Amino acid sequence: MSTPVVSIAYHSGFGHTAVLAEAVRAGAADAGAEVHLIKVDEITDEQWETLDRSDAIVFGSPTYMGTASGAFHVFAEGTAGRWYTRAWQDKLAAGFTNSASKSGDKLHTLQFFQTLAAQHGMTWVNLGLLPGWNASTASENDLNRLGFFSGAAAQSNNDQGPEGVHKADIATAEHLGRRVTETALVLVRGRAAA
């Protein structure tokens, strides 16, 4: 049985998104993937090749001014050659983001990732969790406490550093990494059997 390769292509402006990227990595590794963390603002030719051989790519960025960061947009534009050759066709994709506000237009960032993945012909893996923290008996410590479906969304106070990333958001990002890997295992096994 082949081990799925999961790469996490992310940008982190102040370290909060890097904490989430590490959580996605931990969840994916725990589920059995070969995992690679790739900082898109420092990407090398070798890391581009790693993305090309990956079974799944998880996109991550803070939400700045209602969308992914400028550094992530530069990376996205840099994928145009791969779009033209369909190099990422039929890979899995997923995403995560962080901002200081509870909503903060994070959905738009996740939708940007979804559109990028769709343009590449990738298959989107959603979070697969019901919303948490939406009843009087619920808690801010619930998984998916912010109630996003498209991907993992986190909220970090703007007066705290990376140590302030909420534990529930870290656990939600770990869940996303596991879910992507479990889906990639089905994909890899299916291709091997075909």
Side-chain angles (χ1 to χ4, degrees):
M1 178 181 68
S2 183
T3 300
V5 178
V6 175
S7 289
I8 301 156
Y10 75 99
H11 173 249
S12 185
F14 298 97
H16 305 90
T17 308
V19 170
L20 297 173
E22 173 55 34
V24 173
R25 185 211 62 77
D30 183 56
E34 172 191 327
V35 190
H36 301 273
L37 284 174
I38 298 172
K39 296 179 181 179
V40 298
D41 54 333
E42 301 173 5
I43 194 166
T44 65
D45 289 342
E46 181 182 349
Q47 289 172 323
W48 278 110
E49 291 170 9
T50 298
L51 291 174
D52 293 344
R53 70 178 181 84
S54 295
D55 298 297
I57 302 172
V58 184
F59 302 125
S61 170
T63 295
Y64 293 153
M65 303 307 293
T67 189
S69 66
F72 193 92
H73 276 268
V74 169
F75 162 76
E77 290 179 20
T79 68
R82 282 154 173 85
W83 169 83
Y84 185 75
T85 63
R86 308 315 289 158
W88 294 356
Q89 179 87 25
D90 297 326
K91 293 183 184 300
L92 298 177
F96 62 96
T97 188
N98 176 77
S99 71
S101 298
K102 297 288 190 284
S103 172
D105 293 321
K106 286 186 265 281
L107 179 59
H108 184 264
T109 299
L110 293 171
Q111 290 172 330
F112 170 73
F113 294 155
Q114 287 177 309
T115 301
L116 176 64
Q119 288 186 346
H120 279 282
M122 302 170 82
T123 300
W124 189 259
V125 179
N126 61 46
L127 188 57
L129 288 174
L130 291 171
W133 201 21
N134 65 353
S136 62
T137 57
S139 161
E140 71 173 287
N141 296 309
D142 293 343
L143 287 180
N144 196 19
R145 71 187 182 109
L146 300 179
F148 284 79
F149 294 93
S150 299
Q155 180 271 330
S156 301
N157 295 328
N158 64 16
D159 59 351
Q160 290 182 299
E163 74 285 351
V165 178
H166 200 286
K167 288 182 179 12
D169 295 340
I170 292 170
T172 301
E174 288 173 350
H175 168 85
L176 179 66
R178 282 190 300 276
R179 180 167 168 81
V180 167
T181 299
E182 289 163 1
T183 306
L185 278 166
V186 172
L187 181 75
V188 167
R189 289 174 183 161
R191 285 183 178 155

